[in-house]
Amino acid sequence: MKKIYYPILFFVLLCFSGCVDIEEHYDFKSDGSCNVVYGFDMSSAVSVLMNLMTDSVKATPQFSMVKDTTLDFYTALPDSTQQKMTPEEANMAKTSNLSIKMDLKKNIMKVSINHHAKNSADLEYYLKHLSKISMNSQLNPVTKDKATHGFDAQQLVAGEDYYLYEITPHKFYRVIDKVKFNAFLKRTQSTFAMAKAMLIDMPYKVVLNFAKPIKKLNNPKATLSADRKRVTLITNMDDVMKNPAVMNLKIDF
């Protein structure tokens, strides 16, 4: 791998292991559809890690590159991953958008994945299979798309494989599988330790908007808006590691 790719790849690898501000947004519509956005903001980590970069690395053209682009998630995946996908998975990836905003000199590195689920079954399929695609992909240093050169898209949501979902037109249940979560922690323990040593925070925010007031919410850490149409859960990876159940959500609406 060429040295000029190292700074960007280093930041992105941190994202894969949790050193990043993560926000999940779900907007449930009255017709049963739902817009889902996974947002990953690595800007805080970039600002800290800037101090570790040498002047020679900062002077490279790759480090000075500025990107603000959007493409479908399928295009960002390597050929080896595309060939292993089922037609349903390929269609799901093609209808998901990947957006990248990068300006390392200004400490900006943001990535988001957006998907419009037609109904509850489509939403459950998406949430279960997006992480499956990521976990089954082989690591590549760069994607084939020139607009995102230096960005390994398929590993973005690899950590999300530890959730179990049950979604219907009137419920959204998500529970952490402790066995899978412990395996995730084992894979990433060295990076979490590094993040702590560098005082990098790892906040995690989930926001769910509903078309009608919800009937039941079981997570005591989550807050409910006055009109009972918005659920907000704010935590961080330190708390999640101590008590994975903090991320469990069972919402009837």
Side-chain angles (χ1 to χ4, degrees), residues 137-150:
S137 300
Q138 294 181 350
L139 284 172
N140 283 340
V142 295
T143 70
K144 65 182 182 180
D145 188 89
K146 293 181 180 180
T148 57
H149 203 55

Side-chain angles (χ1 to χ4, degrees), residues 39-251:
F40 303 83
D41 188 345
M42 291 154 276
S43 302
S44 296
V46 169
S47 64
V48 173
L49 293 168
M50 271 287 212
N51 296 324
L52 302 179
M53 299 294 104
T54 64
D55 290 339
S56 60
V57 171
K58 292 179 181 179
T60 61
Q62 190 73 6
F63 194 90
S64 302
M65 189 169 54
V66 176
K67 293 293 179 184
D68 190 351
T69 186
T70 298
L71 66 159
D72 69 75
F73 191 65
Y74 183 85
T75 301
L77 295 171
D79 292 336
S80 59
T81 299
Q82 293 178 2
Q83 293 167 3
K84 296 176 184 177
M85 296 169 70
T86 66
E88 292 79 12
E89 290 172 340
N91 182 65
M92 179 195 76
K94 290 175 181 178
T95 56
S96 301
N97 290 326
L98 173 69
S99 298
I100 302 169
K101 188 172 184 179
M102 179 178 68
D103 188 340
L104 298 183
K105 287 191 173 182
K106 294 183 179 179
N107 298 334
I108 297 174
M109 184 62 179
K110 298 180 180 181
V111 182
S112 64
I113 302 176
N114 184 293
H115 180 75
H116 178 74
K118 295 174 290 186
N119 49 48
S120 58
D122 187 19
L123 176 59
E124 183 169 333
Y125 182 90
Y126 172 75
L127 295 176
K128 288 180 176 179
H129 286 77
L130 184 64
S131 59
K132 177 185 174 184
I133 292 171
S134 300
M135 291 300 290
N136 289 342
S137 300
Q138 294 181 350
L139 284 172
N140 283 340
V142 295
T143 70
K144 65 182 182 180
D145 188 89
K146 293 181 180 180
T148 57
H149 203 55
F151 178 72
D152 192 5
Q154 77 271 23
Q155 288 295 313
L156 255 183
V157 290
E160 298 292 322
D161 76 315
Y162 48 67
Y163 288 120
L164 300 174
Y165 291 95
E166 182 183 355
I167 303 173
T168 74
H170 300 291
K171 71 168 60 171
F172 179 91
Y173 288 7
R174 182 177 78 175
V175 178
I176 279 186
D177 182 318
K178 292 184 179 180
V179 174
K180 290 185 177 181
F181 184 71
N182 287 335
F184 164 75
L185 292 181
K186 187 175 181 180
R187 293 195 306 268
T188 57
Q189 58 184 348
S190 60
T191 305
F192 279 123
M194 181 180 67
K196 278 191 173 184
M198 297 174 68
L199 303 179
I200 298 177
D201 196 14
M202 295 170 279
Y204 202 129
K205 183 177 182 180
V206 184
V207 178
L208 303 99
N209 295 308
F210 296 88
K212 297 186 296 185
I214 73 166
K215 299 175 181 177
K216 186 178 180 180
L217 170 65
N218 82 328
N219 188 322
K221 190 174 178 64
T223 59
L224 190 58
S225 62
D227 61 3
R228 299 184 65 86
K229 291 184 178 181
R230 170 176 288 197
V231 175
T232 304
L233 175 62
I234 300 176
T235 185
N236 58 67
M237 286 305 296
D238 279 342
D239 289 344
V240 175
M241 286 187 284
K242 294 174 185 174
N243 178 24
V246 73
M247 291 299 294
N248 292 348
L249 285 169
K250 289 189 176 182
I251 305 171

